[in-house]
């Protein structure tokens, strides 16, 4: 267990973070961000399409959540 006396001073932690330069490879990151955005958009579009089906709603007999 770490006690309060073992922790570094707050100022030292902040200055160490500010002194560290973080370099991100955006060419590697952007495809993942794009897929996340497109996946969220597509799931919203698909859920709107499914909610218009006649067998939607909690009282529908074909829904997975309803008891048989």
């Amino acid at each position: 267990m770490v006690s309060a006396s073992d922790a570094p001073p707050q100022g030292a932690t902040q200055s160490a973070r500010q002194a560290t330069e973080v370099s991100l490879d955006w060419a590697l990151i952007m495809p993942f961000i794009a897929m996340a955005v497109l996946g969220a958009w597509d799931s919203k579009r698909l859920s709107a399409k499914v909610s218009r089906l006649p067998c939607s709603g909690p009282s529908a007999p074909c829904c997975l959540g309803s008891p048989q």
Side-chain angles (χ1 to χ4, degrees):
M1 182 170 199
V2 177
S3 66
S5 62
D6 295 338
Q10 187 69 8
T13 306
Q14 288 177 349
S15 63
R17 284 191 200 137
Q18 290 173 351
T20 319
E21 185 176 328
V22 177
S23 175
L24 298 175
D25 186 7
W26 288 104
L28 180 66
I29 296 171
M30 285 306 288
F32 290 98
I33 294 174
M35 287 292 109
V37 169
L38 289 174
W41 174 78
D42 196 37
S43 64
K44 183 178 178 181
R45 183 186 60 83
L46 183 62
S47 68
K49 187 183 288 189
V50 169
S51 67
R52 289 192 304 257
L53 292 176
C55 184
S56 64
S59 62
C62 63
C63 290
L64 296 175
S66 63
Q68 296 293 328

